[in-house]
């Protein structure tokens, strides 16, 4: 079979032509030995009926992936295939919809597929059923290209942690926060939650809201997103919001008690025009609770979430949020893992930390304030 038997183009699909070419090229390279010649770019373009620009995009990415090699004045050839690359993703057993790994995994899988990397998953519960010696033997035997550790809820003191400290395998926590990094400085991608939460407050203030209620969880390592209560009050004041501690509520993440807590805020004497929430799921419950008290969002009270739950855009009204872009976090995790050396233990502490970008996304749950302040009742 010639390369043209692999480079099939279906113009009826939404898949970009260069990606179709790249997929065919990948299969051709797998089925043919190194140094197999590939027709010149001009011949490929003419025979396939595609533009040189589109073809070059596919060939360029094929070179970047190590599928093909282009030699000046000689041509394009199938490259010598590297040892199969595999990454291990350690996942918690929880499938709770609010957990970020549900939304980062698709990005990991997509980017790994683009780079011809096999993704293998394992639950941390299963891994921790083994002794540290067994875990070390397993990881040394399998020789993974790298490890992505997603279980940030129960990793402190877990059986695998000491093993991961000493084996020579690139390791990354794809989505963490500065608090965890300060506890155990493994290579991590983090979101600057303090800065992000301030950006949320400043966006609300910029829309005319000063009396902003805050809904935080009862149990967390700090008051809210990296702030102690004193620091949070100072941040509110500095950002132009009312620092009244009576507008700061710690609420349980259980619907019935959450409704009661929001009811306390609504029936109280504190004036508020907006609510900023610990997470998008807090915001979703807040919207439900406000509706039960006949308070309209955003006409009466505006709502801001945090984290960027992908489903938030489909709510009515659409949920404003600080969007971490979980899918992008997954893709970026694969790319960064490939840059981490096997002896990452020798990296400077500052080199182990990388910041994930985020965006302030304003949707219909936020409305610029034009009327006078109102009590939430």
């Amino acid at each position: 079979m010639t390369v043209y038997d692999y480079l099939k183009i279906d113009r009826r699909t939404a898949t970009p032509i260069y990606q179709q070419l790249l997929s065919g090229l990948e299969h051709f390279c797998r089925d043919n030995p190194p140094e197999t010649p590939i027709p010149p770019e001009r011949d490929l373009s003419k025979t396939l009926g595609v533009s040189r620009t589109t073809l070059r995009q596919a060939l360029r990415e094929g070179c970047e992936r190590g599928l093909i090699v282009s030699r000046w004045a000689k041509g394009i050839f199938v490259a010598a295939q590297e040892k199969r690359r595999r990454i291990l993703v350690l996942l918690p057993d929880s499938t709770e919809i609010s957990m970020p790994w549900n939304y980062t995994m698709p990005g990991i899988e997509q980017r790994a597929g683009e780079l011809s990397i096999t993704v293998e998953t394992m639950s941390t519960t299963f891994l921790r059923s083994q002794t540290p010696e067994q875990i070390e033997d397993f990881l040394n035997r399998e020789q993974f290209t790298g490890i992505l550790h997603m279980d940030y809820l129960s990793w402190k003191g877990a059986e695998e942690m000491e093993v991961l400290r000493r084996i020579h395998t690139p390791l990354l926590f794809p989505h963490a926060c500065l608090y965890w990094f300060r506890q155990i400085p493994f290579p991590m991608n983090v979101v600057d939650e303090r800065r992000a939460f301030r950006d949320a407050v400043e966006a609300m203030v910029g829309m005319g809201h000063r009396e902003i209620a805050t809904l935080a969880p009862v149990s967390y390592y700090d008051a809210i997103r990296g702030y102690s209560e004193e620091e949070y009050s100072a941040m509110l004041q500095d950002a132009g919001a009312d620092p009244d501690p009576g507008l700061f509520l710690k609420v349980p993440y259980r619907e019935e008690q959450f409704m009661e807590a929001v009811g306390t805020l609504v029936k109280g004497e504190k004036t508020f025009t907006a609510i900023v929430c610990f997470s998008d799921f807090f915001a979703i419950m807040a919207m439900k609770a406000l509706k039960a008290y006949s308070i309209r969002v955003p006409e009466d009270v505006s709502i801001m979430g945090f984290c960027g739950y992908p489903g938030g855009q489909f709510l009515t009204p659409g949920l404003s949020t600080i969007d971490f872009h979980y899918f992008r976090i997954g893709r970026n995790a694969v790319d960064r893992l490939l840059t981490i050396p096997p002896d990452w233990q020798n990296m400077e502490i500052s080199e182990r930390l990388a910041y994930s970008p985020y965006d302030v996304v304003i949707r219909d749950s936020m409305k610029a304030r034009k009327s006078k302040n109102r009590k939430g009742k």
Side-chain angles (χ1 to χ4, degrees):
M1 297 176 67
T2 71
V3 69
Y4 296 110
D5 294 308
Y6 291 82
L7 301 181
K8 300 296 185 181
I9 298 174
D10 185 353
R11 301 183 187 276
R12 298 169 298 176
T13 73
T15 304
I17 290 176
Y18 91 91
Q19 289 187 0
Q20 296 183 49
L21 293 174
L22 188 61
S23 177
L25 189 62
E26 181 176 1
H27 285 91
F28 177 77
C29 292
R30 287 178 180 175
D31 293 347
N32 290 272
E35 301 303 321
T36 299
I38 292 173
E41 181 182 299
R42 179 181 299 175
D43 294 347
L44 288 170
S45 176
K46 181 178 180 180
T47 303
L48 296 170
V50 299
S51 70
R52 297 281 285 272
T53 300
T54 298
L55 180 62
R56 284 171 183 165
Q57 186 176 4
L59 294 176
R60 180 171 62 251
E61 191 158 335
C63 288
E64 291 173 354
R65 291 196 196 179
L67 301 173
I68 57 176
V69 58
S70 179
R71 299 191 180 97
W72 186 77
K74 292 186 178 180
I76 306 171
F77 304 88
V78 174
Q81 298 299 299
E82 297 180 359
K83 180 180 178 182
R84 182 168 64 105
R85 295 191 293 180
R86 303 153 62 222
I87 59 175
L88 175 66
V89 180
L90 296 175
L91 288 164
D93 290 330
S94 173
T95 57
E96 165 62 44
I97 190 174
S98 64
M99 295 297 101
W101 50 79
N102 293 307
Y103 313 110
T104 54
M105 270 304 296
I108 289 171
E109 291 168 339
Q110 184 191 77
R111 184 57 179 152
E114 292 173 356
L115 298 175
S116 300
I117 297 173
T118 300
V119 175
E120 299 184 17
T121 61
M122 177 179 291
S123 81
T124 49
T125 298
F126 177 79
L127 185 70
R128 293 165 188 170
S129 69
Q130 310 297 302
T131 66
E133 292 74 21
Q134 290 172 323
I135 294 172
E136 185 167 6
D137 287 344
F138 161 69
L139 294 177
N140 285 332
R141 180 178 69 252
E142 293 299 321
Q143 295 185 328
F144 291 104
T145 304
I147 300 171
L148 294 176
H149 202 310
M150 311 284 276
D151 189 353
Y152 60 82
L153 294 179
S154 60
W155 52 272
K156 287 181 61 178
E159 286 81 352
E160 77 273 12
M161 299 313 289
E162 284 303 318
V163 175
L164 296 176
R165 285 177 187 271
R166 61 177 179 263
I167 65 171
H168 287 78
T169 302
L171 169 72
L172 177 68
F173 282 76
H175 180 57
C177 70
L178 286 171
Y179 173 80
W180 301 324
F181 181 75
R182 294 187 185 111
Q183 302 300 305
I184 306 178
F186 284 96
M188 294 184 183
N189 288 349
V190 309
V191 173
D192 187 343
E193 294 187 333
R194 284 173 59 99
R195 178 68 257 180
F197 212 82
R198 178 177 179 125
D199 285 348
V201 171
E202 289 181 343
M204 302 173 85
V205 171
M207 296 180 72
H209 298 281
R210 186 173 180 274
E211 288 73 27
I212 302 172
T214 302
L215 299 183
V218 171
S219 300
Y220 205 58
Y221 62 83
D222 53 23
I224 189 164
R225 297 299 179 182
Y227 290 99
S228 66
E229 290 193 34
E230 295 76 13
E231 290 172 331
Y232 187 64
S233 178
M235 183 274 282
L236 290 174
Q237 187 167 17
D238 188 55
D242 187 347
D244 186 345
L247 291 173
F248 185 92
L249 274 74
K250 288 217 166 193
V251 294
Y253 188 50
R254 289 186 294 277
E255 186 169 347
E256 183 176 342
Q257 293 173 291
F258 195 97
M259 295 282 285
E260 293 176 1
V262 172
T264 301
L265 175 67
V266 169
K267 297 173 184 178
E269 296 300 317
K270 299 297 180 181
T271 297
F272 64 97
T273 64
I275 301 175
V276 62
C277 301
F278 169 79
S279 73
D280 284 355
F281 290 91
F282 268 54
I284 291 170
M285 287 198 291
M287 291 168 69
K288 183 176 181 179
L290 291 174
K291 183 178 180 180
Y293 289 99
S294 299
I295 295 177
R296 299 170 301 168
V297 177
E299 292 84 356
D300 300 323
V301 173
S302 289
I303 296 285
M304 172 68 81
F306 192 81
C307 290
Y309 164 57
Q313 62 185 309
F314 303 115
L315 299 177
T316 303
L319 181 61
S320 301
T321 189
I322 300 295
D323 195 346
F324 292 172
H325 297 287
Y326 288 123
F327 187 82
R328 182 173 65 190
I329 284 174
R331 288 181 57 86
N332 290 346
V334 175
D335 288 335
R336 186 174 180 223
L337 181 65
L338 298 179
T339 70
I340 295 174
D343 58 344
W344 60 264
Q345 297 87 342
N346 295 326
M347 296 171 66
E348 296 292 334
I349 296 296
S350 60
E351 294 176 336
R352 302 180 192 180
L353 184 67
Y355 286 93
S356 298
Y358 61 85
D359 292 306
V360 179
V361 178
I362 302 299
R363 299 192 180 105
D364 290 343
S365 69
M366 284 293 304
K367 182 179 180 181
R369 175 177 164 269
K370 296 180 181 179
S371 61
K372 293 183 179 180
N373 294 356
R374 63 175 300 281
K375 289 183 180 180
K377 64 177 183 178

